[in-house]
Amino acid sequence: MALSESVVKKVLLSYTYVAIWIFLSFSVIVYNKYILDRKLYNWPFPISLTMIHMSFCSFLAYLLVKVFKVVELPSTMTRDLYLKSVVPIGALYSLSLWFSNSTYIYLSVSFIQMLKALMPVAVYSIGVLFKKDSFKSDTMLNMLSISFGVAIAAYGEAKFDSFGVMLQLLAVAFEATRLVMIQILLNSRGISLNPITSLYYVAPCCLVFLCFPWLIMEYPLLRDTSSFHLDFVIFGTNSLCAFALNLAVFLLVGKTSALTMNVAGVVKDWLLIAFSWSVIKDTVTPINLFGYGLAFLGVAYYNHSKLQALKAAEAQKKVQQADEEAGRLLEEKEGEGTGKKTETQD
């Protein structure tokens, strides 16, 4: 009975983490849309909003790492490694956030989520390009099916904006490159960053990179329109949601698995599409849903294939470890046998 209770508690805890992550991820997307959309809060300054988020996250990450010591920093991180590895990742992250936040001005929340289905396609393609993934014709066929689904969804979009679509595709490309670069520049060197240590290193870097386009593109407008007077309740709660989302990712991946997060992401996407249609009153057409349904099936199959490959690799590793252990025991026995023979002959 005690065992079943502990299992139930573990399952309930996992569902709680999933629910918190979905709620926060959902809130950040809708909140960003509300602030940036010209028909809602009407503060169309995506670089400024991203910089507010990065400033807030940098400050809280510093407190958690240096003051409260919630997590430890990797001992292998040197200044040289930071400049060669973290700075390029920070540059890619700043571009990804800038472009993805900019899309809320031009596209509906539902259509943005449909375009984000291209993320596995971008990650796999860039992985193959940088030789982190091996080219497989069946996987590429799967990627083409996802792309085809997204293309149908785009064709059925009622309020299609080519500039907004270009921004979202660039955001996906930069984010996919960032994920591959994390593997090449950090993971391959034995450095693993969780969401808190990642923010501690990357957020200040992002802030610096974003200063350059901000000074050219948004600062003059903010100065001329007197939009510097921020509503601290709106921007404070928005930034808090953005930081809490990173903590939720830390809990979700730490206490469950990356696959759970992928499944939770799918649930969140469908909820956002439903919310966008029913509450924000965005137009969602049957062709939209049909195209996204195709892309969704492609993404689901890709995640399933990855899980099967991981399970196979894990099983192979266990067999290899068992073989090594058996070989070691055999060597020990042979050694003992040789020792006894020598003693008998003496």
Side-chain angles (χ1 to χ4, degrees), residues 228-246:
F228 271 122
H229 304 293
L230 300 176
D231 185 330
F232 285 102
V233 174
I234 292 286
F235 290 96
T237 50
N238 178 245
S239 298
L240 195 62
C241 281
F243 184 77
L245 177 60
N246 280 283

Side-chain angles (χ1 to χ4, degrees), residues 54 58 61-62 65-66 73-94 181-182 185-186 189 191 193 196-209:
M54 289 299 103
S58 298
Y62 179 83
V65 171
K66 291 291 184 182
L73 294 172
S75 56
T76 47
M77 182 64 76
T78 60
R79 188 179 173 178
D80 185 54
L81 189 62
Y82 181 85
L83 291 170
K84 286 180 181 175
S85 302
V86 177
V87 170
I89 290 164
L92 290 165
Y93 195 39
S94 62
M181 284 299 121
I182 286 171
L185 300 174
L186 293 176
R189 294 173 184 178
I191 295 171
L193 299 177
I196 299 169
T197 51
S198 184
L199 277 179
Y200 175 81
Y201 285 123
V202 177
C205 195
C206 277
L207 194 59
V208 172
F209 278 114

Side-chain angles (χ1 to χ4, degrees), residues 197-266:
T197 51
S198 184
L199 277 179
Y200 175 81
Y201 285 123
V202 177
C205 195
C206 277
L207 194 59
V208 172
F209 278 114
L210 288 167
C211 281
F212 299 107
W214 180 76
L215 285 167
I216 300 161
M217 298 172 73
E218 291 188 5
Y219 171 70
L221 281 169
L222 284 162
R223 184 190 58 212
D224 297 342
T225 55
S226 300
S227 296
F228 271 122
H229 304 293
L230 300 176
D231 185 330
F232 285 102
V233 174
I234 292 286
F235 290 96
T237 50
N238 178 245
S239 298
L240 195 62
C241 281
F243 184 77
L245 177 60
N246 280 283
L247 285 182
V249 171
F250 178 57
L251 286 171
L252 189 62
V253 176
K255 304 291 180 183
T256 58
S257 67
L259 183 74
T260 306
M261 195 171 163
N262 282 338
V263 174
V266 168

Side-chain angles (χ1 to χ4, degrees), residues 120-235:
V121 180
V123 172
Y124 177 71
S125 303
I126 292 161
V128 169
L129 193 68
F130 284 99
K131 294 183 171 58
K132 286 305 290 180
D133 257 315
S134 54
F135 179 85
K136 292 174 186 170
S137 53
D138 56 339
T139 308
M140 190 47 78
L141 201 66
N142 185 12
M143 296 298 120
L144 288 171
S145 73
I146 296 168
S147 305
F148 182 62
V150 173
I152 292 171
Y155 176 76
E157 177 58 22
K159 293 173 184 174
F160 186 89
D161 186 296
S162 53
F163 184 67
V165 170
M166 184 193 75
L167 286 172
Q168 185 55 53
L169 293 178
L170 282 169
V172 167
F174 283 121
E175 180 61 13
T177 310
R178 181 184 78 89
L179 294 171
V180 173
M181 284 299 121
I182 286 171
Q183 286 184 319
I184 295 168
L185 300 174
L186 293 176
N187 296 353
S188 61
R189 294 173 184 178
I191 295 171
S192 181
L193 299 177
N194 61 52
I196 299 169
T197 51
S198 184
L199 277 179
Y200 175 81
Y201 285 123
V202 177
C205 195
C206 277
L207 194 59
V208 172
F209 278 114
L210 288 167
C211 281
F212 299 107
W214 180 76
L215 285 167
I216 300 161
M217 298 172 73
E218 291 188 5
Y219 171 70
L221 281 169
L222 284 162
R223 184 190 58 212
D224 297 342
T225 55
S226 300
S227 296
F228 271 122
H229 304 293
L230 300 176
D231 185 330
F232 285 102
V233 174
I234 292 286
F235 290 96

